[in-house]
Amino acid sequence: MPPPPATQKAVWVVGLRGIASVLVVTAHICRSLFPHLVTPAMSDKLPPTLLQLPFFRCLVMGRASVAIFALVTGYVNSLSPLTKSRAGNADAALSGLAKSAFRRFGRFMIPAIVATVISWLACQFGAYNIAHAADSAWIRDTSPTPSTSFAGAFYDLFKNLGTTWIDGYNTYDRIQWTLTYLLKGSMMAYLSLVALVYVKPRWRMLILAGMFCFKWKSGDALVGFNVFCGMILAEVSLDPDVANLTAAHSYISAVSSASLIVMGLYFCSYPEEHPEWSRWSNNLLELGHWMFPGGSEYARFYPGMGADLLATGIVFNTTAKRILSHRFVCSMGKLSWAVYLLHAPLIRTVLTWVLFGASVRPAQGKDESGHELPPGWLPLAKPWVVMFAIPLFYVFLYRVAGLWHQYVESWCDNVTQQFEDLVFRDDAKAEKPLLLS
């Protein structure tokens, strides 16, 4: 039984990426309004709430989503080259890799630059003023302050446009710290594919497994071993022997893949802070002492390992792939890049205006010397306002993301294509870009 075409095999990944992007938004909203959810219990003496329990925690945690983005990068960017390599058309695979690597910079960096410029303008015109006074540490800490002069504003802009890709720091959008690592991860995938495109599939799989182990042992839990896991899954999904074996043992495949999905979600539940406050997370903490390299950040390793197990289970589970390939889920996936870039500035402006803008800063009285103390932070709106505002914010966010995808991303693609036409040789014929590239 030959495996399906590469483009068909990438459909479920679009849905997975869409869900991951939603969870990133949810994680940042919860970190803003309900920061206690980062721990597995209210304290070491108090019981957990529902969203602090394993599995439920996955709805409010974003670190596994970053691991999924890295895994998707390795998976999707490998499908087309590996398909051509298996068909004996390695030269076409190399040509496609060269073009995809070149396009990656424009399609990845230009939208991020546009988003930073918009956030910079919002900052200079005072759009984050309410965020600076909100009773939310995450919102206050991630909201930039206006520059002190006109020239200084442009200096700050160009400085942050550079540091975003140098060391991951961007004061106008702190969540862009992941972009430099994801870009490096995609280049790592391209370079590995160039080196392995002429290698036989079985040996290539073995080499990729070795690279996975190397990245694991070196402690690269943010991107490294997740990218290589995605590449291994791409190779496995294209292997006809694996497809035949799965079809011949469908019951075993269904049970084992479901078990991997459950185990992956359990590992993704590992809390960012105070794992010792709950028995289940403390057990994972003890397990990590001998499973992970010394000095590792378990709150990165566990979500990364969980994302890998989750994706492995999905590859062999037809029901999970069918759910992720649903039109609604895939529509979220198509907007995931726009949602990732836009959600944090919109949380610090639109959502903050709604939830904190109508409040009054409470007076703090006077100190021992009789001087007036600065007023307190703006309190959160009433619960019923929060209950209605957050769902409406998601609707607003995806509407704005749809417009961004339609106009901004299309413009960025055109700029990239025009630059490609300018610098490429005449004999470098255009080739359809890799899905999600």
Side-chain angles (χ1 to χ4, degrees), residues 7-16 19 314 317-331 334:
T7 52
Q8 181 180 344
K9 284 185 164 294
V11 174
W12 67 268
V13 181
V14 181
L16 180 63
I19 292 177
I314 293 172
N317 192 294
T318 55
T319 301
K321 286 193 287 189
R322 184 167 59 250
I323 293 173
L324 292 173
S325 301
H326 190 275
R327 181 176 61 181
F328 175 74
V329 182
C330 287
S331 66
K334 292 178 181 178

Side-chain angles (χ1 to χ4, degrees), residues 23 26-27 30-31 35-41 48-62 265-266 268-274 278 280-281:
L23 295 182
T26 304
C30 289
R31 188 177 288 272
H36 62 276
L37 294 178
V38 301
T39 60
T49 62
L50 178 65
L51 292 179
Q52 290 176 312
L53 294 173
F55 300 108
F56 293 100
R57 294 184 55 80
C58 295
L59 299 174
V60 297
M61 294 186 62
L265 292 174
Y266 184 72
C268 287
S269 303
Y270 188 82
E272 297 181 26
E273 299 177 8
H274 297 293
S278 186
W280 69 270
S281 55

Side-chain angles (χ1 to χ4, degrees), residues 51-210:
L51 292 179
Q52 290 176 312
L53 294 173
F55 300 108
F56 293 100
R57 294 184 55 80
C58 295
L59 299 174
V60 297
M61 294 186 62
R63 293 197 170 186
S65 297
V66 177
I68 289 174
F69 294 149
L71 185 145
V72 167
T73 296
Y75 183 90
V76 172
N77 289 297
S78 301
L79 280 177
S80 181
L82 293 180
T83 301
K84 294 173 183 175
S85 176
R86 283 175 170 265
N89 199 1
D91 291 341
L94 289 173
S95 175
L97 283 169
K99 294 181 176 68
S100 296
F102 184 87
R103 293 169 182 143
R104 182 69 170 178
F105 287 96
R107 291 175 175 166
F108 199 71
M109 295 179 69
I110 297 177
I113 291 172
V114 175
T116 298
V117 172
I118 292 175
S119 181
W120 168 78
L121 285 171
C123 172
Q124 304 308 324
F125 284 100
Y128 295 121
N129 287 349
I130 293 178
H132 296 150
D135 188 15
S136 168
W138 186 87
I139 290 177
R140 292 196 309 272
D141 294 343
T142 60
S143 297
T145 56
S147 303
T148 56
S149 66
F150 184 79
F154 283 93
Y155 172 81
D156 292 338
L157 171 63
F158 288 108
K159 176 184 177 181
N160 281 272
L161 290 177
T163 55
T164 300
W165 306 101
I166 295 172
D167 56 17
Y169 181 80
N170 186 333
T171 189
Y172 298 108
D173 192 0
R174 298 289 180 87
I175 68 160
Q176 288 195 23
W177 71 268
T178 61
L179 301 189
T180 182
Y181 298 100
L182 293 173
L183 182 61
K184 291 175 183 177
S186 63
M187 294 301 114
M188 182 169 57
Y190 289 135
L191 180 60
S192 300
L193 290 168
V194 168
L196 299 175
V197 73
Y198 288 105
V199 176
K200 296 177 181 179
R202 293 291 186 274
W203 285 101
R204 182 165 54 226
M205 206 177 302
L206 184 61
I207 294 171
L208 289 174

Side-chain angles (χ1 to χ4, degrees), residues 32 139 189 193 199 241 244 289 303-304 385 407:
S32 303
I139 290 177
L193 290 168
V199 176
D241 293 336
N244 291 332
H289 290 336
V385 176
Y407 295 105

Side-chain angles (χ1 to χ4, degrees), residues 326-344:
H326 190 275
R327 181 176 61 181
F328 175 74
V329 182
C330 287
S331 66
M332 293 193 300
K334 292 178 181 178
L335 300 179
S336 59
W337 182 219
V339 168
Y340 188 84
L341 289 176
L342 296 174
H343 79 276

